[in-house]
Amino acid sequence: MKKLINNPEEVVSEMLEGFVLAHPKQVKLVPNTSVIVRADSPIQGKVGLVSGGGSGHEPSHGGFVGTGMLDGAVAGEVFTSPTPDQVYEAIKAVDGGKGVLLIIKNYTGDVLNFEMAAELAEADGIKVAKVVVNDDVAVENSTYTTGRRGIAGTVFVHKIAGALAETGASLEEVEAVANKVIQNVRSMGMALTPCTIPAAGKPGFSIGDNEMEIGMGIHGEPGIERGEIKTADEVTSVLLKKVLDDLQPTQDEKVAVMINGLGATPLMELYILNKKVSDLLKERNIDVYETFVGEYMTSLEMAGCSITLLKLDNHLTELLDAKANTVAFKR
Amino acid sequence: MKKLINNPEEVVSEMLEGFVLAHPKQVKLVPNTSVIVRADSPIQGKVGLVSGGGSGHEPSHGGFVGTGMLDGAVAGEVFTSPTPDQVYEAIKAVDGGKGVLLIIKNYTGDVLNFEMAAELAEADGIKVAKVVVNDDVAVENSTYTTGRRGIAGTVFVHKIAGALAETGASLEEVEAVANKVIQNVRSMGMALTPCTIPAAGKPGFSIGDNEMEIGMGIHGEPGIERGEIKTADEVTSVLLKKVLDDLQPTQDEKVAVMINGLGATPLMELYILNKKVSDLLKERNIDVYETFVGEYMTSLEMAGCSITLLKLDNHLTELLDAKANTVAFKR
């Protein structure tokens, strides 16, 4: 196993320590937890936003904690849902009296554990709302999921709900805009190589030297087609077609685009994909408002990508544009 | 070769097209060149900053073009110096009448080609100054270099010289502060895996399943020690010791730290390295002013890292803090 680690059992705790040591002005660790919160948490009079999930998807989710995005991020073990008590700690740590929104990616373990945490917090008198992100159009139902999986589109939920929360909006308003993003965001991914969970010590699956898998999930869940490696243009066409078929943007509607790398794919390749994305959207008269290219929701050192489209109206555009200052997303 | 590309011969041109299509408000391509410049170039009355080198190190260098950093970036073929005519095009495109500073990484081809371009531009009456970055303390002289190589520390030169240029400083002043950064910045890297130049189709070197190489260059140039994979803490100790021995910060001096990923190394691992960096610097009473963790100067999909320290005085700190708005570096 070729990894720069110490003890495979300690990768999450060491990562979290290294993270807060790197960015002490922006984030802090809630003592004796795996919860990262804004350095100025809790913020009185602001809805608190909490997300999280298994580790191994960095910069998700701790990298998006900061002004204009998340208040807290809960880190589970690698590719493992955080436990309810950890999520509960996050809710308590960010509650500023105006309630807390949980942004959950649609994996059965995450949904259950975040819901149990919400119940614990509500018993303490904290108002909690939940949204579940299910942007991955590759498959209905999957290894760890009933319904569609949540992947990189989640970052747009963090950004836009976070921007509205920053204006002092109510929990109901922030929940509503998060659901509006979820209704308007679709993604699909593919992988060229597997990745290795440190504690497992070997790749979670195998994939032939000349093979790729279209629609693979961010934990290596099965996709829809395994076959010979296609060109960047062919891959882009397949992913984008499925996203567009589901999202159905009308001509002259505008979208935000995210070309997300899964960990080992060079930026060079992501930009080559973007050239084709841009061409294909232009052919359909779909206006690209802004494009994000980089690593937002990774799968350790997996090679591969996902493509996300978010349909934007004026309100969502304004919130997308709003100031954000987190470790991994600034504007 | 597991890559998301179309034609291996076209990766650089397709990447550059995809890049400017993604970020049209920030950058543009000089027609019929491989030169990226700020969308508002040339800026009258401001010293222009040009850097560049072989492609494959993204986000270097195009990702650092924008307010407060570079005016132009020249992209050579993968791991190949840009030709003098391309550098000359960049100089002409960014000259706003106050001269142009070339920031060159110390590789023989880069130095020669940037110098030839400077002569061409000077013949046109453009004032040109040059600085050569040689932050890599691993080895003296190397495959493509006389003296020390230039690696991730170059990004601090872009940031700080770019900030000073933005204030309207003269070419001599911007050159002087760039040289001051060069005198105060040191780096060292290591690799776990090789990478594949698309046009070559196979890895540039091999490295055993249980092996790593300390001191390897960003094009796979030989390092100083090949052996069994060490722990993250051991790797960090080796790299940081050599950087500190060369840089010799005194107690209570403050530094900026950059933990740079080479392409396939997860952020998780870079943060684990940072925990040890932080501990070791604390032991020596060296104050960390700010820490940057991520991919700044990559080697395609190589797994590995580099660690950079920059000694800061008040002037350098102020310039490091100054606003920057580029695709890959914002503050």
Side-chain angles (χ1 to χ4, degrees):
Chain A
M1 174 170 58
K2 289 208 148 181
K3 287 186 185 290
L4 289 168
I5 61 173
N6 296 303
N7 178 352
E9 307 294 335
E10 301 290 337
V11 290
V12 174
S13 59
E14 291 191 10
M15 165 184 73
L16 295 174
E17 277 189 74
F19 183 73
V20 295
L21 284 165
H23 312 296
K25 288 178 194 157
Q26 285 153 291
V27 291
K28 61 187 178 189
L29 192 60
V30 178
N32 303 314
T33 73
S34 60
V35 175
I36 299 282
V37 295
R38 286 165 63 157
D40 54 355
S41 280
I43 301 165
Q44 297 305 316
K46 190 187 95 66
V47 169
L49 268 68
V50 168
S51 191
S55 293
H57 305 301
E58 292 69 30
S60 291
H61 299 83
F64 303 120
V65 171
T67 310
M69 291 183 82
L70 300 178
D71 294 85
V74 196
E77 288 304 308
V78 177
F79 293 180
T80 302
S81 299
T83 54
D85 62 301
Q86 294 293 308
V87 181
Y88 173 53
E89 292 295 336
I91 297 170
K92 287 192 294 183
V94 308
D95 177 44
K98 208 162 177 174
V100 175
L101 178 69
L102 305 182
I103 300 171
I104 311 166
K105 298 198 302 306
N106 190 34
Y107 299 97
T108 306
D110 285 18
V111 173
L112 283 173
N113 291 355
F114 276 75
E115 278 179 356
M116 284 176 63
E119 286 169 22
L120 291 171
E122 282 163 346
D124 289 349
I126 301 175
K127 268 172 64 182
V128 181
K130 303 175 293 284
V131 297
V132 178
V133 188
N134 62 347
D135 54 316
D136 185 351
V137 298
V139 291
E140 284 291 330
N141 307 322
S142 184
T143 314
Y144 310 111
T145 327
T146 304
R148 294 192 318 232
R149 302 173 299 220
I151 56 172
T154 309
V155 179
F156 285 131
V157 183
H158 299 165
K159 174 66 189 77
I160 286 173
L164 188 64
E166 213 69 47
T167 67
S170 69
L171 181 59
E172 292 70 23
E173 290 167 327
V174 178
E175 179 187 7
V177 87
N179 275 321
K180 186 172 168 186
V181 176
I182 292 168
Q183 285 153 21
N184 285 287
V185 69
R186 298 290 186 281
S187 304
M188 188 157 144
M190 57 77 63
L192 288 164
T193 69
C195 62
T196 297
I197 296 174
K202 56 175 204 254
F205 59 95
S206 67
I207 184 165
D209 278 352
N210 293 309
E211 281 188 332
M212 58 187 288
E213 183 157 332
I214 297 282
M216 180 165 279
I218 56 173
H219 313 93
E221 306 97 313
I224 51 177
E225 184 197 331
R226 184 175 289 207
E228 279 206 4
I229 297 176
K230 292 177 160 63
T231 66
D233 284 358
E234 288 165 338
V235 167
T236 303
S237 299
V238 170
L239 299 184
L240 197 64
K241 180 176 188 313
K242 199 135 163 55
V243 167
L244 286 167
D245 285 354
D246 202 283
L247 187 62
Q248 305 237 335
T250 54
Q251 279 207 358
D252 305 316
E253 245 179 337
K254 65 182 174 181
V255 296
V257 173
M258 178 177 284
I259 318 278
N260 172 60
L262 292 184
T265 292
L267 265 179
M268 170 182 281
E269 298 175 28
L270 300 180
Y271 280 112
I272 290 173
L273 297 171
N274 184 57
K275 177 174 181 300
K276 187 68 177 179
V277 169
S278 177
D279 289 348
L280 291 171
L281 292 177
K282 192 172 284 174
E283 275 174 22
R284 294 207 188 201
N285 283 319
I286 296 165
D287 183 26
V288 176
Y289 180 72
E290 188 165 4
T291 304
F292 301 85
V293 180
E295 295 183 348
Y296 293 90
M297 179 78 70
T298 62
S299 303
L300 296 169
E301 73 284 3
M302 200 184 279
C305 70
S306 62
I307 296 176
T308 298
L309 294 189
L310 168 66
K311 277 200 292 192
L312 291 167
D313 62 12
N314 290 342
H315 188 219
L316 294 184
T317 305
E318 191 185 303
L319 294 168
L320 181 64
D321 281 345
K323 182 172 155 51
N325 185 12
T326 73
V327 170
F329 196 110
K330 288 186 175 67
R331 55 196 308 153
Chain B
M1 175 170 57
K2 289 208 148 180
K3 287 186 184 290
L4 290 168
I5 61 173
N6 295 303
N7 179 352
E9 307 294 336
E10 301 290 337
V11 290
V12 175
S13 59
E14 291 191 10
M15 166 183 74
L16 294 175
E17 276 190 73
F19 184 73
V20 296
L21 285 165
H23 312 296
K25 288 177 193 157
Q26 285 153 290
V27 291
K28 62 188 177 188
L29 192 60
V30 178
N32 304 315
T33 72
S34 60
V35 175
I36 299 282
V37 295
R38 285 165 63 158
D40 55 354
S41 281
I43 301 165
Q44 296 306 318
K46 190 187 93 68
V47 169
L49 268 67
V50 168
S51 191
S55 293
H57 305 300
E58 292 68 31
S60 289
H61 300 82
F64 303 120
V65 171
T67 310
M69 291 183 80
L70 299 178
D71 294 83
V74 197
E77 289 302 309
V78 177
F79 293 179
T80 303
S81 298
T83 55
D85 64 301
Q86 294 293 309
V87 181
Y88 173 53
E89 292 295 336
I91 297 171
K92 286 192 296 183
V94 308
D95 177 45
K98 207 162 177 173
V100 174
L101 178 69
L102 305 182
I103 299 171
I104 311 166
K105 297 197 302 304
N106 191 32
Y107 300 97
T108 305
D110 285 17
V111 173
L112 282 173
N113 290 355
F114 276 75
E115 278 179 356
M116 284 175 64
E119 285 169 23
L120 292 169
E122 282 162 348
D124 289 348
I126 301 175
K127 268 173 62 182
V128 181
K130 303 174 294 281
V131 297
V132 178
V133 188
N134 62 347
D135 54 316
D136 185 350
V137 297
V139 292
E140 284 292 328
N141 307 322
S142 185
T143 315
Y144 311 111
T145 327
T146 304
R148 294 193 316 233
R149 301 173 300 219
I151 57 172
T154 309
V155 178
F156 284 131
V157 183
H158 299 163
K159 174 65 189 76
I160 286 173
L164 188 64
E166 213 70 47
T167 67
S170 70
L171 181 59
E172 292 71 22
E173 290 167 327
V174 177
E175 179 188 8
V177 86
N179 275 321
K180 186 172 168 187
V181 176
I182 292 167
Q183 284 151 21
N184 286 286
V185 69
R186 298 290 186 279
S187 304
M188 189 157 143
M190 57 76 63
L192 288 164
T193 70
C195 62
T196 297
I197 296 174
K202 56 177 203 255
F205 59 96
S206 66
I207 183 165
D209 278 352
N210 293 309
E211 281 188 331
M212 58 187 289
E213 183 158 328
I214 297 281
M216 180 165 279
I218 56 173
H219 313 93
E221 306 96 314
I224 50 177
E225 184 197 330
R226 185 175 289 208
E228 279 206 3
I229 298 176
K230 292 179 161 62
T231 65
D233 284 358
E234 288 166 338
V235 167
T236 303
S237 300
V238 171
L239 298 184
L240 197 64
K241 180 175 189 311
K242 199 135 162 59
V243 167
L244 286 168
D245 284 353
D246 203 283
L247 187 62
Q248 305 235 334
T250 54
Q251 279 207 358
D252 306 315
E253 245 179 338
K254 64 182 176 181
V255 296
V257 173
M258 179 177 282
I259 318 278
N260 173 59
L262 292 183
T265 292
L267 265 179
M268 170 183 282
E269 298 175 28
L270 301 179
Y271 279 112
I272 290 173
L273 297 172
N274 184 58
K275 177 174 180 299
K276 186 69 176 176
V277 169
S278 177
D279 289 348
L280 291 171
L281 293 176
K282 192 171 286 173
E283 274 173 23
R284 294 208 188 201
N285 283 320
I286 297 165
D287 183 27
V288 176
Y289 179 72
E290 188 166 4
T291 304
F292 300 85
V293 180
E295 295 184 348
Y296 293 90
M297 179 77 70
T298 62
S299 303
L300 296 168
E301 73 284 2
M302 200 184 280
C305 70
S306 62
I307 296 176
T308 298
L309 294 190
L310 168 66
K311 276 200 292 192
L312 291 167
D313 63 11
N314 289 342
H315 189 219
L316 295 183
T317 304
E318 191 185 303
L319 294 168
L320 180 65
D321 281 344
K323 183 171 151 51
N325 185 11
T326 73
V327 170
F329 196 110
K330 289 186 174 67
R331 55 195 309 152

